[in-house]
Amino acid sequence: MSLVGSLQLILPPRPRSTKFLCSLKNPTQGQEELSSSSPSISLLPKLISFALALSLTSSSPALAIPSLSSSQPLTTPFTQSKFVQTGLLNGKIRPCPSTNPGCVSTNPTSSSFSFPLTIPETDTQDPIQKLKEAIMSTQKNPKFVVLEDTPYGRYLEAEVEGGGFSRDVMEFLVKQDVVAYRCMATKVTFVYPFTTAFGDSKGQEERMKKLINKLGWYAPTFESME
């Protein structure tokens, strides 16, 4: 039952004939009629309040008022950027998220693809240990959060100081003499009403160049293949 239906059940029926409340010949008579009808008029707000309360507390779907909080939030680039997923995906380094500009990854499905690193045969040092030393010497406030041996290789994840008060993530997967990696910021900036994030442009590429120069490993590029 709708709110209008509830009011129709509660309110008294309207009389078919109406009378003037005031007469020029006998003004007192109009005042008496007005005062006699005032109890019905004074009950009207109470009846409306009762009907409204009935509609709010009723379990009937027709009387239910939808809740604004019941609807699920829309998936936007801003909300997607808040959930940074790290770790391997199907045994590979993850591609760069579409909402994270400036990210670089060796995953071939990534829009900002980079070639994996190759460890020279003459380099006999433990690659994970060498990676950790190179990160500590080239990055600010590094923190190693994951070091894991997997069936797909040895996985290393490190957090380093990014722009502002944010932290950037560096991930590496070492398998024999090949090193896959991903480097990205954990915080991106959106400017309303644009839905494209503003990144650090070439910041992550410059970070990896410093690291690769320190490592001395081979890093193929498209330019070197021309």
Side-chain angles (χ1 to χ4, degrees):
M1 183 181 295
S2 63
L3 179 59
V4 176
S6 301
L7 290 175
Q8 291 176 350
L9 292 177
I10 297 172
L11 295 178
R14 178 184 296 179
R16 295 183 178 274
S17 61
T18 59
K19 295 182 180 181
F20 290 102
L21 295 179
C22 182
S23 175
L24 294 176
K25 294 182 180 181
N26 192 356
T28 58
Q29 181 181 357
Q31 293 177 358
E32 291 176 356
E33 292 179 356
L34 179 60
S35 61
S36 63
S37 62
S38 59
S40 299
I41 297 176
S42 62
L43 288 176
L44 184 59
K46 296 181 179 179
L47 293 175
I48 294 177
S49 299
F50 176 75
L52 182 59
L54 179 64
S55 66
L56 291 176
T57 57
S58 174
S59 59
S60 174
L63 297 179
I65 296 179
S67 173
L68 295 178
S69 61
S70 62
S71 59
Q72 296 295 330
L74 297 176
T75 302
T76 63
F78 176 76
T79 57
Q80 292 176 1
S81 67
K82 295 298 181 181
F83 301 95
V84 178
Q85 292 181 317
T86 59
L88 302 180
L89 178 63
N90 298 326
K92 299 179 181 180
I93 287 290
R94 293 176 180 269
C96 288
S98 59
T99 57
N100 199 305
C103 168
V104 291
S105 173
T106 57
N107 190 301
T109 63
S110 182
S111 58
S112 53
F113 170 75
S114 296
F115 289 99
L117 308 179
T118 302
I119 304 175
E121 296 181 358
T122 55
D123 193 334
T124 58
Q125 186 178 352
D126 178 70
I128 292 294
Q129 183 60 35
K130 191 168 185 177
L131 270 172
K132 293 174 67 175
E133 293 176 357
I135 292 173
M136 287 188 291
S137 62
T138 60
Q139 308 301 318
K140 296 181 180 180
N141 301 324
K143 179 182 178 181
F144 301 101
V145 293
V146 179
L147 177 55
E148 182 181 7
D149 290 331
T150 73
Y152 313 100
R154 302 173 68 186
Y155 173 77
L156 174 66
E157 179 183 335
E159 292 182 358
V160 298
E161 185 175 306
F165 299 98
S166 64
R167 302 281 288 174
D168 291 358
V169 174
M170 305 180 73
E171 300 176 273
F172 301 90
L173 180 63
V174 180
K175 185 174 183 180
Q176 299 178 355
D177 61 343
V178 177
V179 182
Y181 64 87
R182 184 176 73 162
C183 186
M184 67 176 184
T186 59
K187 183 180 179 181
V188 295
T189 302
F190 288 83
V191 178
Y192 182 83
F194 302 103
T195 58
T196 301
F198 290 86
D200 56 357
S201 185
K202 302 294 183 179
Q204 302 301 331
E205 292 184 7
E206 295 298 327
R207 185 191 306 278
M208 285 304 304
K209 284 182 180 180
K210 292 181 180 179
L211 184 69
I212 293 170
N213 290 335
K214 184 67 177 180
L215 290 168
W217 295 347
Y218 178 56
T221 62
F222 288 104
E223 291 78 9
S224 63
M225 296 180 179
E226 293 178 353

